[in-house]
Amino acid sequence: MTVLVTGGAGFIGSHLVDYLLGETTDRIVVLDDFSTGSADNLVHLETDRLTVEDGDVRNADLIADLVSDADAVYHLAAAVGVQTIVENPLSSLRTNLEGTENVLEAATADGTPTFLASSSEIYGKSEAVPFAETDDRVYGPTSTTRWSYATAKAADEFLAFAYHDEHDLPVVVGRYFNIVGPRQTGQYGMVIPTFVEQALAGEDLTVYGDGTQTRSFTHVADAVSITHELLDTPAAHGEVVNVGAPDPTSINDLAEAVIDRTDSDSVITHVPFEEAYGPDFEEPDQREPDVTKLREILGWAPEADLDRILHDVIHERTDGEQPTGQAPDEEVTTQ
Ligand code: NAD
């Protein structure tokens, strides 16, 4: 079996490659343009079962070629992170729209099972937490660039359903909710790696807004096994499913937990969103998945496990020398 992972040099993609190599997958092809991903994420995998292609998902011929050799496709390549979207609106839109259409169109030729990575950003600034897959989406105006990411991901979902309904493409959409863990970089504004790096350097932890906004964090190990299981489950094809752990944490509590676990002297400073992202920036207050559908389809859903997440993220930045010593007692919770 040959599997194509677009965005496989990225954070979630590289963990998925690790996971699939541990399964029975014979051969994995990674396509990545290394814009936010890195070869370092795959460097530990010295195996002739892995091929890495440096290329762009917007290249339809290349995608057609790679998909035609694959028995399954995981489409994770995307322009991600609020900072990337705000700073590069046009190329982000093109990657997130054209790239997905290229993958779906190519997969249709042989009916290749395809997983499409979507996002909790889909729900926009809806306040109807927890978010169920059938809930309304609430977005700001098109003059506010940050909503272009949610809009492009929503169009991707429409495309996936259209290819499923009109061409019988076995495609499943996973809406990821703040997936976190080792290898995630703070470079593009992701909160946990940013806080951990600030705390370890003894710098102030910059909390945007008043810090009462909440997010549900999910360990990447859970996210990749769900990703694989969803594609492997025919009942999930043609469906969109939230992928996340319920039980949200406020950003203030997260910052305090990071300071505590790193034994840092850092303090928290609050910075207005407008100062960081410009005057029209909008940030949703709450993000929490309703995982009823995930449970119905797979029989399980992840649980929030901030302790384990922080342990793993701090561990990789301190070469295993945890400032506060102890690893959490339990393994990553997957039930
Ligand atoms: P990431 O930036 O680490 O991964 C994205 C990968 O896509 C990178 O390796 C990047 O180099 C690659 N890429 C970008 N543009 C490309 C292009 N034009 N051609 C080829 N490759 C390209 O981010 P991630 O967090 O691993 O995200 C993976 C997927 O999950 C994305 O589709 C993202 O939208 C989605 N997602 C992630 C989260 C999260 O919490 N991490 C939440 C919601 C959705």
Side-chain angles (χ1 to χ4, degrees):
M1 173 151 179
T2 297
V3 171
L4 173 65
V5 181
T6 75
F11 161 55
I12 302 175
S14 64
H15 282 278
L16 181 64
V17 171
D18 285 350
Y19 180 92
L20 293 171
L21 283 171
E23 296 285 299
T24 50
T25 312
D26 303 321
R27 188 169 165 255
I28 298 187
V29 178
V30 161
L31 171 77
D32 206 295
D33 73 350
F34 300 97
S35 49
T36 54
S38 164
D40 289 348
N41 288 337
L42 299 169
V43 81
H44 60 289
L45 295 170
E46 279 185 21
T47 166
D48 53 13
R49 291 162 61 210
L50 175 66
T51 308
V52 181
E53 283 272 346
D54 184 350
D56 196 315
V57 282
R58 290 172 291 185
N59 181 340
D61 293 339
L62 173 65
I63 294 296
D65 223 34
L66 295 175
V67 172
S68 70
D69 287 339
D71 302 297
V73 179
Y74 294 90
H75 178 45
L76 275 66
V80 301
V82 171
Q83 207 171 312
T84 310
I85 308 304
V86 171
E87 286 171 7
N88 310 289
L90 184 55
S91 68
S92 300
L93 273 169
R94 293 190 60 214
T95 293
N96 295 352
L97 293 168
E98 287 174 29
T100 300
E101 187 167 13
N102 288 340
V103 169
L104 294 171
E105 179 66 27
T108 298
D110 294 321
T112 309
T114 301
F115 175 92
L116 173 65
S118 186
S119 169
S120 60
E121 276 278 320
I122 282 283
Y123 298 101
K125 52 186 174 179
S126 166
E127 291 176 0
V129 287
F131 300 138
E133 291 82 351
T134 48
D135 283 355
D136 288 344
R137 297 172 288 129
V138 184
Y139 295 167
T142 51
S143 52
T144 302
T145 309
R146 73 112 67 222
W147 298 117
S148 74
Y149 174 73
T151 304
K153 287 284 183 184
D156 288 349
E157 293 196 8
F158 281 120
L159 277 169
F161 300 138
Y163 275 94
H164 176 265
D165 294 347
E166 291 186 30
H167 297 291
D168 292 327
L169 183 69
V171 55
V172 54
V173 179
R175 284 184 187 160
Y176 291 138
F177 279 70
N178 282 81
I179 311 303
V180 291
R183 293 186 210 147
Q184 188 172 38
T185 160
Q187 217 180 330
Y188 308 102
M190 308 307 181
V191 65
I192 289 189
T194 303
F195 280 179
V196 167
E197 281 161 20
Q198 288 171 330
L200 289 173
E203 296 166 3
D204 290 2
L205 271 66
T206 37
V207 171
Y208 295 128
D210 67 6
T212 57
Q213 67 272 27
T214 61
R215 294 294 179 268
S216 302
F217 297 103
T218 307
H219 199 293
V220 66
D222 287 343
V224 298
S225 66
I226 290 170
T227 298
H228 174 247
E229 284 181 47
L230 282 174
L231 189 56
D232 238 23
T233 305
H237 297 165
E239 299 289 336
V240 54
V241 187
N242 287 338
V243 178
D247 199 11
T249 307
S250 79
I251 301 302
N252 282 334
D253 286 351
L254 173 69
E256 273 164 26
V258 169
I259 288 172
D260 186 47
R261 275 212 82 96
T262 51
D263 211 7
S264 170
D265 294 329
S266 296
V267 294
I268 298 171
T269 53
H270 291 91
V271 177
F273 281 110
E274 309 78 59
E275 214 171 278
Y277 294 114
D280 297 329
F281 191 77
E282 297 178 278
E283 182 68 3
D285 257 0
Q286 301 178 69
R287 285 275 164 80
E288 183 187 347
D290 180 330
V291 291
T292 309
K293 187 168 180 182
L294 181 62
R295 270 189 218 287
E296 275 169 12
I297 292 178
L298 296 187
W300 70 281
E303 282 172 17
D305 194 352
L306 197 58
D307 240 23
R308 167 61 58 174
I309 289 166
L310 292 184
H311 170 268
D312 288 355
V313 174
I314 295 166
H315 189 270
E316 75 162 341
R317 284 166 171 79
T318 54
D319 292 329
E321 305 278 323
Q322 285 273 314
T324 48
Q326 298 302 308
D329 294 336
E330 291 171 20
E331 290 305 306
V332 176
T333 309
T334 55
Q335 295 297 313

